[in-house]
């Protein structure tokens, strides 16, 4: 799976990373639904850090992203418009 973080890079994550990715996505969604801005930012940063642990895709590699995540400075209000009931990472 290739995940792009808007304004940053693309990262390749192996399929064995998907359960952790979905777990973190769920934490972000729960924090968003609670309306707790600090919990949301902490959870979203953990999600982005997890993605950044993947292998960075070279700039000249033109593979499409499977998932595009908003930038790290995403606000709680913006997240409310970006996230759906299923989160950002498709099952």
């Amino acid at each position: 799976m290739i995940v792009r973080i808007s304004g940053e890079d693309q990262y390749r994550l192996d399929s064995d990373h998907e359960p952790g990715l979905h777990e973190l996505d769920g934490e972000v969604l729960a924090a968003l639904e609670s309306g707790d801005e600090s919990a949301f930012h902490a959870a979203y940063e953990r999600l982005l850090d997890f993605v950044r642990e993947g292998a960075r895709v070279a700039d000249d590699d033109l593979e499409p992203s499977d998932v595009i995540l908003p930038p790290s400075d995403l606000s709680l209000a913006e997240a409310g418009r970006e996230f759906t009931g299923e989160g950002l990472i498709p099952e």
Side-chain angles (χ1 to χ4, degrees):
M1 169 185 287
I2 296 178
V3 180
R4 173 179 295 282
I5 300 173
S6 292
E8 293 184 31
D9 293 308
Q10 285 182 301
Y11 300 89
R12 186 179 315 279
L13 299 173
D14 296 327
S15 60
D16 60 332
H17 287 95
E18 286 187 42
L21 194 59
H22 289 291
E23 181 179 332
L24 289 167
D25 188 39
E27 290 177 16
V28 171
L29 189 57
L32 173 64
E33 289 172 350
S34 76
D36 184 337
E37 184 132 14
S38 63
F40 167 75
H41 286 292
Y44 193 57
E45 195 59 40
R46 284 192 303 274
L47 174 66
L48 295 180
D49 287 343
F50 184 84
V51 169
R52 291 177 187 124
E53 290 176 8
R56 188 180 161 283
V57 175
D59 291 336
D60 60 350
D61 189 338
L62 301 177
E63 287 189 63
S65 300
D66 297 300
V67 175
I68 301 173
L69 297 175
S72 61
D73 63 352
L74 180 71
S75 72
L76 187 66
E78 292 168 328
R81 293 187 296 271
E82 293 280 335
F83 285 66
T84 66
E86 298 177 13
L88 288 174
I89 311 297
E91 291 287 330

